[in-house]
Amino acid sequence: GINAEYRNSQMPHRRPPSVMLSRRRVLASSAAAFGAALGAPRLGDVWAAPAAGTKPTHHKPTAKRVIFLFMAGAPSQLDMFDYKPQLAKFDGTLPPKELLEGYRAAFINPKSALLGPRFAFKKVGQTGNYVSDLLPHTARVVDEMAIIRSMKTDAFNHAPGQTMLTTGSQQVGRPCLGAWALHALGSESRDLPGFVVLQSGEKGPSGGAAVSGSGFLPTLNQGVPFQGGAEPVLFLANLPALMRCRSGKPWMRCGT
């Protein structure tokens, strides 16, 4: 039998393929999963309950959805709404020595001349925020915007900077903003993902999956990437081998 086969084997930790795919072994190892599925009203409740916000927050949330546009590679804020009068004053000059003390950068020569704004700025709206000539339509609604200029980081490369912006840390492993929003607000649907990621380009952000990951939160809070083409969501379509198995052969015995 199987026990005798293992005792006679010189490598007992290596299981033959026939044993790995035996019906008895699969049913035995899946008993816990089957029990969880039978104990829930439906299989979706097992996975959807945490993301559906079953635990109420300490206050009633007023927001129903969050749209976060992370535009890596967009024009610099120095050319749009972050006016630097001193940078304009010293345009074309070398930076002072005290500014270069402890300076760290990846691809910028510290002896390069300073570059001031390339476009004209003016104060607009009742708030008096600076907006450049690049954004005439934004200037009309600037009073409805919250512009934060106090954020800074020691990260000077793309990937750590993007991870810092989206998770609050340069180190990979913390939840992103979308994961925290889903964790706090929950989702109105138990059948659709509550956090969807739409990305342009072939490579995606330099920070990789960390910019939309759940970190130490449950994986139900991580972003689900959507893409164009025949398969909008990866890994949902049935594998070709599985489709062949459904032609009438027992799936346990199906090959490639």
Side-chain angles (χ1 to χ4, degrees):
I2 294 178
N3 293 332
E5 182 180 356
Y6 281 146
R7 284 196 300 268
N8 297 331
S9 175
Q10 296 180 357
M11 301 179 65
H13 62 281
R14 297 285 301 275
R15 298 178 180 177
S18 59
V19 177
M20 293 177 62
L21 295 179
S22 67
R23 184 175 300 165
R24 178 180 299 177
R25 183 168 299 278
V26 170
L27 292 176
S29 60
S30 303
F34 290 152
L38 294 175
R42 58 173 181 157
L43 184 59
D45 292 339
V46 177
W47 314 114
T54 54
K55 295 182 179 179
T57 55
H58 62 285
H59 66 280
K60 184 177 180 180
T62 58
K64 291 186 177 181
R65 60 191 61 88
V66 178
I67 300 176
F68 178 52
L69 303 179
F70 176 57
M71 297 178 287
S76 171
Q77 74 275 10
L78 299 178
D79 290 327
M80 295 189 294
F81 43 76
D82 195 6
Y83 181 54
K84 303 290 187 183
Q86 292 296 312
L87 188 59
K89 178 181 178 180
F90 293 100
D91 179 32
T93 64
L94 293 176
K97 294 182 178 180
E98 57 271 17
L99 185 64
L100 298 178
E101 293 181 1
Y103 176 79
R104 299 171 63 221
F107 308 107
I108 302 177
N109 186 349
K111 296 183 179 180
S112 301
L114 297 173
L115 180 65
R118 303 290 93 184
F119 303 92
F121 280 79
K122 60 182 178 181
K123 292 184 177 181
V124 295
Q126 297 181 358
T127 55
N129 277 309
Y130 277 105
V131 178
S132 79
D133 293 342
L134 280 178
L135 305 174
H137 302 293
T138 303
R140 300 173 186 172
V141 295
V142 70
D143 290 336
E144 303 177 25
M145 301 171 56
I147 302 176
I148 303 175
R149 296 192 177 94
S150 58
M151 298 179 64
K152 63 179 182 178
T153 176
D154 295 330
F156 53 84
N157 270 341
H158 293 83
Q162 292 181 11
T163 306
M164 176 71 181
L165 176 65
T166 53
T167 69
S169 173
Q170 298 184 40
Q171 302 297 325
V172 176
R174 298 189 63 86
C176 70
L177 178 62
W180 279 119
L182 179 59
H183 180 71
L185 300 178
S187 175
E188 295 180 340
S189 174
R190 306 176 80 87
D191 302 315
L192 297 174
F195 177 19
V196 172
V197 179
L198 304 176
Q199 69 180 32
S200 59
E202 297 180 356
K203 299 194 307 180
S206 301
V211 302
S212 58
S214 58
F216 50 75
L217 291 177
T219 54
L220 290 168
N221 296 288
Q222 70 183 4
V224 177
F226 277 21
Q227 60 182 9
E231 194 174 4
V233 181
L234 296 176
F235 312 119
L236 286 186
N238 291 326
L239 297 175
L242 180 59
M243 296 303 295
R244 289 195 296 270
C245 290
R246 289 184 173 179
S247 61
K249 299 179 181 179
W251 70 273
M252 284 292 182
R253 301 174 181 271
C254 232
T256 56

